[in-house]
Amino acid sequence: MTEKKILLDHGSGGKISHAMFSDLILPLFDNPELRQADDGARLELRFDEGFDGGVDSKGTSLAFSTDSYVVDPIFFPGGNIGDLAINGTVNDIAMCGAIPEYISVGLIIEEGFAIEDLKLILKTMANAAQKARVRIVTGDTKVVPKGKADKIFINTSGIGKIPAGINVSGANAKKGDAIIISGTIADHGISILSSREGLNFDSDIQTDSAPLNGMVQDILNSGASINVLRDPTRGGLGTTLNEIAHQSGVDIEIREQDIPVRGPVRGVCELLGFDPLYIANEGKLIALVPEDEAQAVLEIIQKNEYGKDAAIIGRVSKKSEGRVYLKTTISGLRPLDMLIGEQFPRIC
Amino acid sequence: MTEKKILLDHGSGGKISHAMFSDLILPLFDNPELRQADDGARLELRFDEGFDGGVDSKGTSLAFSTDSYVVDPIFFPGGNIGDLAINGTVNDIAMCGAIPEYISVGLIIEEGFAIEDLKLILKTMANAAQKARVRIVTGDTKVVPKGKADKIFINTSGIGKIPAGINVSGANAKKGDAIIISGTIADHGISILSSREGLNFDSDIQTDSAPLNGMVQDILNSGASINVLRDPTRGGLGTTLNEIAHQSGVDIEIREQDIPVRGPVRGVCELLGFDPLYIANEGKLIALVPEDEAQAVLEIIQKNEYGKDAAIIGRVSKKSEGRVYLKTTISGLRPLDMLIGEQFPRIC
């Protein structure tokens, strides 16, 4: 890490974010849980140590995750910062193979913020929590003077239960695994972008923000072997696949023509020069499953209300140092790198 | 709640904060855990529901808490926002009678923030975590454009284990309980205030920020009966005692002359017209214990490195609607209300 000042890129979820994590944060805080570098930490319960009436954990463990939401604007087509904050943390926990149960909410509000807007956001959070079947059990509110924050920032942290026998991690990708995406990509990022001041244009593009824990349970309850689950948020599908390839030490190949992108989203991307592979999603997951189970898992996902556009988009080609390749419709195989910096800030 | 805009008072931890919680937040998010309204939520583990190899919880439970830190300035005598963020959440969990284990860290950083300052803050967090024997296991970093946040805000959430048989809550105060404070009050708030631009004056007043989980374990391991544990942060001792009186439906009487306040802190308070009873602490706890065990618990606290100035300062006088009275050195008994709004913002 050679920079002297924090750049927007440090919050991008791309290469520069990763460098800050591995060069600065991980060495200082180092421990086995943090080193997993998954969407949430997997915590082994150790209730048997030195307690009266202690509990034998029998392999059950907890997932624990946190995210702060600083999206701008706070209201956008299809949602607002409130449901984004609930769904985002619900999904990070679900991606550990866990059942999300409890959510904390930390509000940082700018002085002068309209109470009506706060009410609407909190109501949206309550509805999202109900839909995802999680409970908001603890919270905190801070107010800072006008001009010291931008309207409202929300942190959510969450706890889920990982049933015994579940072992889902970005480090578990195996040669031959099929790569499934649960639906169209780039909807969230483009919905935010298209609702920004100065960039308003008519479109019916909405955020895809949704809770994916039901879908994850559908898959796990089927008894299918799932090696990796990940939601491609900041940095998009391209960056998340690079994370998986790196964590697992494998090469991944995806086929451009099989990646679902809505027409209007593709249109905006072409108009503004963005690559949908690097645009944030908030209601999509990537699942890596053994080839012979891929079709069955795909069908399970497609039956879920948030998975009807799911598709198999590629495979893990070999053990390697962790590269991702895109088979384009025109020019054959090209390397698909991680997003370097920030395409546009405050997307979530 | 009749206001139309968010005021600094809504983040004060005083009456107006409480009104927002009970009028706006609780009705929307309502559930038994949130209704406890303690420093952290007490969660019953239910690993026996529908799991292969599930776990029988035998009464063991989790504590879960969250806090965002927006303190200004971020560096102040005796500490910085980093150790404040670790100790604050460690203490909220400890006040549930729990052993804090895991911490999450959510950073919101302003573009242009000096990496050297970030390094120092993260290093302080790592040291504080080590001292408190907790592990930072998951995190998130967001960067917002210059001017959209003030330097750095930190959210920490935490998980602790509540051993079977422990039942500590603000709702458990009983008639006759002695009230113990673990040391001098108002150090943190006055250290922040005295380091603010324009208010600089020479003094050796330092924050009292410290992890109190060791002290809580010392008390609990002694087998003493502890009814209430609470750390008097925002709103100070006066507000926290009002919370306890209200939650438990009791009247509390404290004696002004027995409340420990350092000379320089008292001096600044007198100079600026602040009441130390309403100034934030970050390394103190209030313990309510049956009268006949009070002396023994006091001595345990005094042996702890953060408890040498501990004192018994009053008692629970009767079942009631929840009032607090101060026996002053001059004028007899006067009602001590909850802090209404904000004495000064961004104290933690």
Side-chain angles (χ1 to χ4, degrees):
Chain A
M1 224 184 135
T2 53
E3 302 85 8
K4 292 219 179 314
K5 301 272 185 190
I6 287 287
L7 312 172
L8 288 170
D9 292 339
H10 287 110
S12 66
K15 258 194 181 168
I16 293 178
S17 291
H18 281 80
M20 182 162 85
F21 178 73
S22 48
D23 297 353
L24 179 59
I25 295 175
L26 188 57
L28 280 170
F29 294 168
D30 194 29
N31 59 62
E33 290 86 359
L34 191 62
R35 226 174 295 134
Q36 296 160 358
D38 277 321
D39 282 344
R42 184 188 178 113
L43 312 176
E44 298 308 322
L45 291 177
R46 289 166 306 169
F47 279 99
D48 41 356
E49 288 173 13
F51 285 109
D52 295 343
V55 170
D56 174 0
S57 77
K58 290 183 190 153
T60 318
S61 47
L62 290 184
F64 182 29
S65 190
T66 194
D67 252 325
S68 299
Y69 297 84
V70 298
V71 65
D72 172 41
I74 54 176
F75 298 101
F76 44 82
N80 67 49
I81 189 172
D83 51 325
L84 196 66
I86 297 295
N87 291 335
T89 290
V90 161
N91 292 347
D92 280 346
I93 292 168
M95 297 308 130
C96 302
I99 300 168
E101 285 235 335
Y102 299 112
I103 300 284
S104 68
V105 173
L107 304 173
I108 299 174
I109 312 176
E110 184 185 12
E111 182 189 13
F113 188 67
I115 303 261
E116 272 312 306
D117 287 346
L118 179 62
K119 272 187 192 166
L120 180 52
I121 290 166
L122 294 174
K123 204 165 179 175
T124 308
M125 295 183 85
N127 290 341
Q130 195 168 31
K131 195 156 191 183
R133 280 183 281 169
V134 293
R135 293 203 273 189
I136 296 168
V137 292
T138 191
D140 171 60
T141 303
K142 292 291 189 312
V143 180
V144 297
K146 198 155 181 61
K148 299 299 182 184
D150 190 14
K151 299 184 277 291
I152 186 167
F153 302 147
I154 302 180
N155 176 283
T156 50
S157 301
I159 300 177
K161 298 182 295 194
I162 308 177
I166 300 290
N167 184 13
V168 170
S169 166
N172 288 354
K174 292 188 178 54
K175 188 185 160 182
D177 280 356
I179 294 157
I180 302 174
I181 180 85
S182 67
T184 56
I185 65 166
D187 298 85
H188 175 72
I190 295 302
S191 84
I192 297 295
L193 192 68
S194 67
S195 61
R196 289 236 172 112
E197 220 173 330
L199 281 165
N200 267 307
F201 39 80
D202 260 357
S203 85
D204 57 355
I205 302 167
Q206 293 210 336
T207 177
D208 61 342
S209 175
L212 298 173
N213 48 334
M215 184 188 292
V216 169
Q217 286 311 303
D218 290 349
I219 303 171
L220 293 176
N221 290 340
S222 76
S225 320
I226 303 294
N227 292 326
V228 180
L229 288 171
R230 197 55 81 84
D231 60 335
T233 55
R234 269 186 299 179
L237 178 64
T239 298
T240 304
L241 288 176
N242 268 280
E243 288 171 4
I244 296 167
H246 180 78
Q247 270 181 274
S248 294
V250 296
D251 276 5
I252 287 174
E253 284 180 26
I254 55 171
R255 298 174 299 271
E256 190 175 29
Q257 65 182 36
D258 293 336
I259 300 168
V261 186
R262 277 184 220 289
V265 170
R266 194 184 293 282
V268 173
C269 284
E270 280 170 8
L271 192 70
L272 299 174
F274 290 122
D275 186 340
L277 286 168
Y278 294 116
I279 306 281
N281 310 279
E282 292 289 343
K284 297 291 151 38
L285 62 77
I286 303 168
L288 271 65
V289 303
E291 206 168 3
D292 57 349
E293 300 187 48
Q295 190 58 37
V297 171
L298 178 68
E299 284 167 20
I300 291 165
I301 293 176
Q302 285 172 336
K303 273 185 204 140
N304 184 282
E305 62 178 311
Y306 305 117
K308 62 182 171 43
D309 298 318
I312 297 172
I313 58 169
R315 64 187 188 100
V316 176
S317 57
K318 61 170 192 281
K319 290 292 291 179
S320 166
E321 287 133 61
R323 276 177 293 263
V324 178
Y325 295 92
L326 180 71
K327 192 169 186 318
T328 64
T329 43
I330 306 166
S331 62
L333 225 54
R334 74 164 171 89
L336 185 73
D337 205 352
M338 191 175 270
L339 180 69
I340 307 258
E342 187 69 86
Q343 290 208 88
F344 33 86
R346 298 184 66 188
I347 212 67
C348 63
Chain B
M1 225 184 137
T2 52
E3 302 86 8
K4 293 222 177 313
K5 301 271 184 191
I6 286 289
L7 312 171
L8 288 169
D9 293 338
H10 286 110
S12 66
K15 259 192 179 169
I16 293 178
S17 292
H18 281 81
M20 181 161 84
F21 177 74
S22 49
D23 296 352
L24 179 58
I25 295 175
L26 188 58
L28 281 170
F29 295 167
D30 194 30
N31 59 63
E33 291 85 359
L34 190 63
R35 227 175 294 135
Q36 296 160 357
D38 278 321
D39 283 345
R42 184 187 178 114
L43 312 176
E44 299 307 324
L45 291 177
R46 291 166 305 171
F47 279 98
D48 40 358
E49 288 173 13
F51 284 110
D52 294 344
V55 170
D56 173 359
S57 76
K58 290 183 190 152
T60 319
S61 47
L62 291 183
F64 182 30
S65 190
T66 194
D67 252 326
S68 298
Y69 297 84
V70 298
V71 65
D72 173 42
I74 53 175
F75 298 101
F76 44 81
N80 66 49
I81 190 172
D83 50 325
L84 196 67
I86 297 295
N87 291 335
T89 290
V90 161
N91 292 347
D92 280 345
I93 292 169
M95 295 310 130
C96 302
I99 301 170
E101 286 233 337
Y102 300 111
I103 301 284
S104 68
V105 173
L107 304 173
I108 299 173
I109 313 177
E110 185 186 11
E111 181 189 14
F113 189 66
I115 302 263
E116 271 313 305
D117 287 346
L118 179 62
K119 272 187 191 165
L120 180 54
I121 289 166
L122 294 175
K123 204 166 179 176
T124 308
M125 295 184 86
N127 290 341
Q130 194 167 32
K131 195 156 190 183
R133 282 182 278 170
V134 293
R135 293 201 272 189
I136 297 167
V137 292
T138 191
D140 172 59
T141 302
K142 293 291 190 313
V143 179
V144 296
K146 199 156 179 61
K148 298 299 183 185
D150 191 14
K151 296 183 279 292
I152 185 168
F153 302 146
I154 302 180
N155 177 282
T156 49
S157 301
I159 300 177
K161 297 182 296 193
I162 308 178
I166 299 290
N167 185 11
V168 169
S169 167
N172 288 353
K174 294 189 176 53
K175 188 185 161 183
D177 279 356
I179 293 156
I180 302 175
I181 179 86
S182 67
T184 56
I185 64 166
D187 298 84
H188 175 73
I190 296 301
S191 83
I192 297 296
L193 192 68
S194 68
S195 61
R196 289 235 171 113
E197 221 175 327
L199 281 165
N200 266 305
F201 38 80
D202 260 358
S203 85
D204 57 356
I205 302 168
Q206 293 210 334
T207 178
D208 62 342
S209 174
L212 298 173
N213 49 334
M215 185 187 291
V216 169
Q217 285 311 302
D218 290 349
I219 303 170
L220 293 176
N221 290 341
S222 76
S225 320
I226 302 293
N227 291 326
V228 180
L229 288 171
R230 197 54 80 87
D231 59 336
T233 54
R234 268 186 300 179
L237 178 64
T239 298
T240 305
L241 287 175
N242 268 282
E243 289 171 3
I244 296 168
H246 180 79
Q247 271 181 274
S248 294
V250 297
D251 276 6
I252 287 174
E253 283 180 28
I254 55 170
R255 298 174 300 270
E256 189 175 29
Q257 65 182 35
D258 293 335
I259 299 167
V261 186
R262 277 184 221 289
V265 170
R266 194 184 294 281
V268 173
C269 283
E270 281 171 7
L271 191 71
L272 300 176
F274 290 123
D275 186 340
L277 286 167
Y278 294 116
I279 306 279
N281 311 277
E282 292 289 344
K284 297 293 151 34
L285 62 78
I286 304 168
L288 271 66
V289 302
E291 207 168 4
D292 57 351
E293 300 187 50
Q295 190 58 37
V297 172
L298 179 67
E299 285 166 19
I300 291 165
I301 293 176
Q302 286 171 336
K303 273 184 203 138
N304 184 281
E305 63 179 310
Y306 304 117
K308 62 183 172 40
D309 298 318
I312 297 171
I313 59 168
R315 65 188 187 98
V316 176
S317 58
K318 62 170 193 281
K319 290 292 291 178
S320 166
E321 286 133 63
R323 276 177 292 263
V324 179
Y325 295 93
L326 179 71
K327 194 171 188 310
T328 64
T329 44
I330 306 166
S331 61
L333 224 53
R334 73 163 172 88
L336 186 71
D337 205 351
M338 193 174 271
L339 179 68
I340 307 255
E342 188 69 86
Q343 292 208 86
F344 33 87
R346 298 184 66 187
I347 211 66
C348 60

